[in-house]
């Protein structure tokens, strides 16, 4: 198969598509998740709002990112969903 990699040549330890979150980034996101004080392993929209707003992305974009990250649609983010949200913000900013 063809390899389409737009990661500026830095492919070490990163899966083939840019959505993949490498271990180093995931650990950072997980630490940030814990610092926000999850309840039963989840953060509410209110708890995450400040972090998302800090990205300076338009509210419409942030809503879309939330919808993508809140995989089970429960209105809260677990550690993996939070990592997805943060990673999507990172991708949106680059």
């Amino acid at each position: 198969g063809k390899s389409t990699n737009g990661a500026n040549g830095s492919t070490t330890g990163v899966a083939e598509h840019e959505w993949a979150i490498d271990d180093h980034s995931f650990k950072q996101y997980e630490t940030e998740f814990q610092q926000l004080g999850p309840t039963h392993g989840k953060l509410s929209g209110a708890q995450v709002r400040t972090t998302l707003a800090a990205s300076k992305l338009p509210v419409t974009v942030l809503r879309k990112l939330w919808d993508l990250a809140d995989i089970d649609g429960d209105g809260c983010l677990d550690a993996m969903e939070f990592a997805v949200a943060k990673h999507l913000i990172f991708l949106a900013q680059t």
Side-chain angles (χ1 to χ4, degrees), residues 40-92:
H40 305 296
K42 299 205 174 232
L43 293 172
S44 68
Q47 287 174 291
V48 179
R49 189 172 293 124
T50 307
T51 302
L52 299 184
S55 68
K56 304 279 192 272
L57 291 170
V59 173
T60 51
V61 173
L62 291 175
R63 275 201 199 106
K64 186 73 179 157
L65 294 181
W66 177 275
D67 290 343
L68 291 169
D70 184 14
I71 295 160
D72 58 8
D74 67 352
C76 298
L77 300 182
D78 62 23
M80 178 53 84
E81 291 171 335
F82 180 78
V84 169
K86 291 291 289 185
H87 193 62
L88 289 172
I89 286 171
F90 170 74
L91 292 176

Side-chain angles (χ1 to χ4, degrees), residues 21-42:
I21 304 172
D22 61 84
D23 287 345
H24 176 72
S25 296
F26 183 76
K27 284 186 177 67
Q28 285 183 307
Y29 300 146
E30 198 173 33
T31 299
E32 189 176 348
F33 175 82
Q34 294 301 335
Q35 287 169 345
L36 289 169
T39 305
H40 305 296
K42 299 205 174 232

